[in-house]
Each structure stands twice: as structure tokens, then as C-alpha cells.
Amino acid sequence: MTETTPTPTHRLAVPTGTGHARIMSVGAYRPERVVTNDEICEYIESSDQWIRERTGIVSRRFARPDESVTDMAEAASRVALERAGLTAADVDMVLVATVTHPYQTPSSAALLAHRLGATPAAALDISAACAGFCYGLTLANDLVRCGSARHVLVVGVEKLSDFTDLHDRGSAFIFGDGAGAVVVGPSDHPGIGPTVWGSDGAQWDTIVNKSSWVEYRDSGHEEWPALKMAGQTVFRWAVWQMSPVAQKALDAAGVPIGDLDAFIPHQANVRIIDAMVKQLRVPAQVAVARDIAHSGNTSAASIPLAMDRMLTEGEAHSGGLALLIGFGAGLAYASQVIELP
Ligand SMILES: CC(C)(COP(=O)(O)OP(=O)(O)OC[C@H]1O[C@@H](n2cnc3c(N)ncnc32)[C@H](O)[C@@H]1OP(=O)(O)O)[C@@H](O)C(=O)NCCC(=O)NCCS
């Protein structure tokens, strides 16, 4: 191996990037059906009070049986495109962050691109669980900045009700369904800050399907491979490891915490959110997303869903700065400061 760069015999043409990118718009889709804690307690020995106290969840939404991950992604995407003043033909890349599209292949993203009329946009799904949306934003930012795409649709979507064991006392109460979408496009100034991200595969089995598809087949379909979770281990990891990651994202962007308009962490558990607020010393004037109360944990969808609601309800403001952090199965995490659309 040599460190010397070989003298090129050809000069390759490369795309010219725009230099900067930003989130142009956000859209959301929340399924109609509200599922209360009392309904969850029909399947597990628990109580509305325990679920509220331990997670902050009051209710979550479940999609209809005939409503798919791609259906929800499409609904959120149409809103985001309209708000960006674009048509699907303007989109040249579709990224769908999800762990609940029930086909190993092909991707939800390719079907979504087709349904929207974005064909022949490049399309792929991202499997980074609750960090998926922040991973997608990072990819979109760099694709636009480097010129591989001009407008990227980034969707976080989950139908976790399909992969929840309603009889599992350790997880039945936590998950919900929904979709959030953003359009990332060119900008004359930086709209998406540097990402601090990583993974820890040593903790691969802390949030995991109960079996692989192959084991499911070979067991004679004994138990549906719903998600199972080592709740306390994940809880401790999130509480102790994620605030330093968020702080690094602030430092990398050169943004003091007091300059934020909003803090939008992944909605995993309100006690994790409160611990992060304390550790990061988030000042009172910074709006903090606590959508988990009425959304449950919607994994990849939780951050764009909260962003949409905060902007719609005037809790956060267009052009303001928001700190995002996604974390979950993998374990995987990603954090960045963004300018709100
Ligand atoms: C799942 C979670 C809410 C459980 O809360 P917890 O405080 O860790 O609960 P524990 O498992 O330690 O159990 C505490 C007690 O509640 C009981 N308990 C557990 N589940 C219960 C339930 N559904 N209803 C009532 N009681 C329950 C336990 O038996 C235990 O009782 P004991 O003290 O008498 O032994 C919490 O661990 C969590 O939110 N983890 C992170 C989840 C997460 O972020 N997941 C996705 C990552 S993106």
C-alpha cells in the first residue's frame, strides 16, 4: 500500500454541488384511531397511571389494518411537497426511514416515488430505527450539497402496531404509528448543521425482532417476530449517552443552547426527554417537543411529526434553530442542529 495518489490518466467530470442545503418544508400524517392506555391494558396487566408515570404516554395512534407504511408516507409527503411549492417531478431522490415496511425488498421508497409521480427518482429505505430520520437528513444534506440530487424527500414512517406484541408487558404500551416528511433542497446558507452520529452493535439485541424471518419460517410460524426490548438497558443508555452526543452537535454547529428555538429529541419516553433537558441545561424559553404524550413512540416518524406540530401550533418558528437527536435500535444515533422550515 502506498500513500501516494496515482497520476490520473483520465479527468472525471463531477457534479457541482450547491454548497448549502436546508429543510424547505415538513408534512405529517397521523392515523385517525386514538388508542388509549385503558385499551392497551385490556391485553397486559398494567394501568393508565403506570403508563403515564413511567413513559409520559396518554394515548397513541394506530393505523387501520389496510393502511400501509407507504400509504402513510404518501400522505405526509404530499403535504410536504405542497408546502415546499414543488411537484413530485422536482424530486430526484426519495429516502424512507422505516423499520416496519413489511417487505424485505423492494423498498417502500421506490413505491412511494412511483405513487407520487417522482419516477425516475432514486429511492431507498434506511434501516436505522429511531435514528433513521436524522440519518436521512444527513444523507439528503450531503447529496444536495455535493450535487448528487437537487431535491430530496426524506420520510420517517412507522406502522409499529404491526410489529408490537400487545401481550408483551415490556413494550405493548410504548409504540404508535405515523409519518412525517421533509423536502431538503438547495440554499444560499447552511440550513443543516454537522451531524454527530454513530452506532453500537454490541447492544444489537436490546431492541430486536423476536426472531429472524428464517427462524420464523423454520419454527412453523410459532411466534410473529414482533419487537422486544430490554427497556431498562435502553433507558440507561439513552439517559447517559445521548446528551453528550447532542452537546457535540451543538458545538459542531457553533450554536449555544440558548440560541435554539426548539429542542426536538426522539420521542422514546418523557423521562428520557426530561433527563436530557436537565443535562443539556435547556433554557425555559426553548420549546421542547413532548409529543410522546399523544403519539407514543413512533420511531423514525417521531421527530418530523413533532417538528410539524410545533410549527403548526406556533410553538416553534420558521427560520428558528432546532436541535434534533434520534436514537434507538442498532443501537444507532444521530444529532444535528437545523434551521426550521
Ligand atoms: C419500558 C420502560 C417504560 C419500563 O420502565 P422501567 O421504569 O424501566 O420499568 P422496569 O422494567 O424497571 O419495571 C419497574 C417495575 O414496573 C413493573 N412493570 C413493568 N412493566 C409494567 C407494565 N407494563 N405495567 C405495570 N407495571 C410494569 C415491573 O414489574 C417492575 O416492578 P417491581 O419494581 O415491582 O419489580 C422504560 O424502561 C423505557 O422507556 N425504556 C426505554 C424505551 C425506549 O426508549 N425504547 C425505544 C428506544 S427508541
Side-chain angles (χ1 to χ4, degrees):
M1 286 286 281
T2 168
E3 292 279 313
T4 325
T5 312
T7 311
T9 50
H10 301 280
R11 175 84 47 193
L12 291 177
V14 290
T16 322
T18 58
H20 301 301
R22 68 184 175 97
I23 301 176
M24 302 173 68
S25 63
V26 59
Y29 175 76
R30 297 170 186 84
E32 226 171 270
R33 192 161 99 77
V34 174
V35 177
T36 62
N37 290 339
D38 285 339
E39 183 175 341
I40 296 293
C41 294
E42 288 172 20
Y43 303 95
I44 53 169
E45 196 197 317
S46 189
S47 68
D48 175 47
Q49 189 192 350
W50 188 92
I51 297 171
R52 283 183 197 230
E53 283 177 7
R54 305 307 287 175
T55 68
I57 299 171
V58 175
S59 63
R60 72 287 291 142
R61 307 279 185 122
F62 277 5
R64 293 188 314 267
D66 66 341
E67 203 167 33
S68 73
V69 159
T70 310
D71 292 338
M72 292 191 283
E74 182 182 350
S77 300
R78 288 194 185 280
V79 177
L81 282 170
E82 196 193 323
R83 288 181 180 165
L86 297 173
T87 68
D90 297 313
V91 173
D92 38 24
M93 176 89 212
V94 177
L95 298 174
V96 174
T98 186
V99 288
T100 49
H101 171 58
Y103 290 82
Q104 192 92 35
T105 195
S107 67
S108 168
L111 183 57
L112 176 62
H114 164 68
R115 288 219 206 145
L116 292 170
T119 313
L124 66 98
D125 288 358
I126 299 171
S127 177
C130 310
F133 178 75
C134 293
Y135 268 61
L137 262 190
T138 307
L139 300 180
N141 185 35
D142 290 351
L143 288 166
V144 172
R145 290 187 329 121
C146 294
S148 297
R150 187 164 172 80
H151 294 113
V152 183
L153 180 66
V154 184
V155 186
V157 54
E158 302 292 358
K159 190 179 179 188
L160 282 152
S161 57
D162 273 347
F163 289 90
T164 299
D165 176 355
L166 283 176
H167 299 278
D168 176 5
R169 201 161 173 251
S171 68
F173 49 86
I174 209 148
F175 296 121
D177 301 339
V182 298
V183 177
V184 174
S187 170
D188 58 9
H189 62 279
I192 299 172
T195 299
V196 176
W197 56 352
S199 69
D200 179 9
Q203 302 199 68
W204 192 85
D205 58 359
T206 54
I207 310 173
V208 65
N209 290 105
K210 285 184 183 173
S211 65
S212 72
W213 293 123
V214 173
E215 287 162 341
Y216 177 62
R217 181 196 63 197
D218 293 348
S219 72
H221 299 182
E222 263 170 25
E223 194 177 17
W224 175 245
L227 291 167
K228 64 174 180 176
M229 182 170 74
Q232 268 199 21
T233 309
V234 179
F235 186 88
R236 279 197 295 267
W237 170 77
V239 162
W240 297 113
Q241 314 269 334
M242 290 301 100
S243 299
V245 170
Q247 184 61 55
K248 278 186 196 159
L250 284 168
D251 295 343
V255 174
I257 190 122
D259 286 4
L260 292 177
D261 195 40
F263 175 41
I264 315 182
H266 168 50
Q267 304 292 296
N269 184 319
V270 84
R271 287 156 56 218
I272 297 175
I273 298 169
D274 289 343
M276 290 176 80
V277 165
K278 209 167 153 189
Q279 288 173 36
L280 290 165
R281 296 195 175 85
V282 180
Q285 79 270 12
V286 177
V288 177
R290 287 194 175 80
D291 290 53
I292 186 156
H294 296 286
S295 66
N297 178 343
T298 56
S299 191
S302 85
I303 291 174
L305 275 172
M307 190 188 296
D308 170 81
R309 188 199 56 74
M310 293 175 95
L311 286 165
T312 308
E313 295 182 2
E315 233 175 77
H317 307 93
S318 176
L321 295 176
L323 171 64
L324 316 182
I325 181 163
F327 50 87
L331 296 174
Y333 57 89
S335 180
Q336 65 263 104
V337 177
I338 56 110
E339 185 183 284
L340 289 162

